[in-house]
Amino acid sequence: MPLIEVSNLEKTYINEGVSTPALQGVSFRVEKGEFAAIMGPSGSGKSTLLHILGFLDRASSGEYIFDGKSADEYTGEEMARIRNKRMGFVFQAFNLLPRTSILENVKLPLLYSNIPELRWNKMAEDAIEAVGLSHRIYHESSKVSGGEKQRVAIARALVLNPDVIFADEPTGNLDSKSGKIIMEIIQKLNQETGHTIILITHETYTAEHAGRIIMMKDGEIESDRKVEKRHEAKDGFRK
């Protein structure tokens, strides 16, 4: 059973009586443990699709099935619970609390969980170690580099061991060297710990770290192909 399955997904925004289609007849499935990149230019519908997949928005029509259950069957409260426990999010803008330590930032999702507080520090420390930032654990998030900020965001997404990590242009605010490190970390999460990854990007090099590229244009899927030769994930980020 696929983790994610969408069928004839449509999304139309209506503003002052004017309808603007953002998604038109989108259909695909993502298996557990897969790394899929959704790629396309600005305005292609990829971010709209991510918001629907991440339970941040609802489709106008069509069907979205998450782990065997239709999104239409979930209440708003159930969606919020799944977003917190079973989905991790990494955004281009990092979205960190600036005058707060890296440890406290990574612990944030745990505040909304039913996990005993006694375990929070250990879980956050493990996630921080997984992205190679143990030596920065008590630094304020505003006082580390952009690449390190994104690694904090990945650790925060990872802390509850979600079923799927959604990464929306995670290298968009980074230089090429930092971006490469971030993509290697994300790729390792997929290859070594089996996390399902859905990456949104407009960059071919970034997308080619995935095992599959879904190309979008004007709200439709233009192509869906396997990546023949993927970039190798390295362990250099720990230095």
Side-chain angles (χ1 to χ4, degrees), residues 40-174:
S42 179
S44 61
K46 59 188 188 296
S47 290
T48 298
L49 178 58
L50 177 79
H51 288 159
I52 292 170
L53 297 180
F55 286 167
L56 298 167
D57 198 1
R58 288 186 185 265
S60 301
S61 64
E63 188 167 40
Y64 170 27
I65 297 172
F66 180 77
D67 202 17
K69 184 175 175 180
S70 173
D72 293 336
E73 297 176 32
Y74 290 109
T75 65
E77 188 178 322
E78 286 172 328
M79 283 185 163
R81 196 178 307 121
I82 289 170
R83 271 199 310 273
N84 178 245
K85 290 184 176 179
R86 303 187 63 188
M87 298 175 173
F89 295 88
V90 180
F91 296 104
Q92 179 177 341
F94 317 134
N95 295 344
L96 303 179
L97 297 177
R99 288 178 296 278
T100 308
S101 72
I102 285 172
L103 178 65
E104 294 303 318
N105 267 282
V106 174
K107 280 162 62 174
L108 275 176
L110 298 166
L111 298 175
Y112 307 99
S113 73
N114 54 9
I115 293 168
E117 191 172 350
L118 199 65
R119 295 175 53 197
W120 291 2
N121 272 12
K122 177 67 166 65
M123 291 174 71
E125 286 163 5
D126 288 348
I128 291 166
E129 183 180 0
V131 300
L133 278 183
S134 294
H135 60 298
R136 293 270 198 266
I137 193 165
Y138 298 113
H139 281 58
E140 282 188 16
S141 64
S142 57
K143 294 180 180 176
V144 299
S145 69
E148 288 173 331
K149 284 184 174 75
Q150 196 58 291
R151 283 151 73 177
V152 177
I154 293 171
R156 182 182 58 195
L158 192 61
V159 72
L160 280 168
N161 195 28
D163 295 316
V164 57
I165 294 175
F166 295 106
D168 190 0
E169 300 280 8
T171 62
N173 281 341
L174 305 177

Side-chain angles (χ1 to χ4, degrees), residues 156-205:
R156 182 182 58 195
L158 192 61
V159 72
L160 280 168
N161 195 28
D163 295 316
V164 57
I165 294 175
F166 295 106
D168 190 0
E169 300 280 8
T171 62
N173 281 341
L174 305 177
D175 59 56
S176 58
K177 182 181 178 182
S178 297
K180 184 169 180 286
I181 291 170
I182 290 302
M183 288 314 305
E184 287 172 357
I185 292 172
I186 291 173
Q187 191 175 31
K188 282 173 71 69
L189 291 176
N190 172 251
Q191 292 177 345
E192 295 185 5
T193 56
H195 283 87
T196 306
I197 310 284
I198 295 183
L199 168 75
I200 301 290
T201 185
H202 65 277
E203 299 168 329
T204 301
Y205 176 82

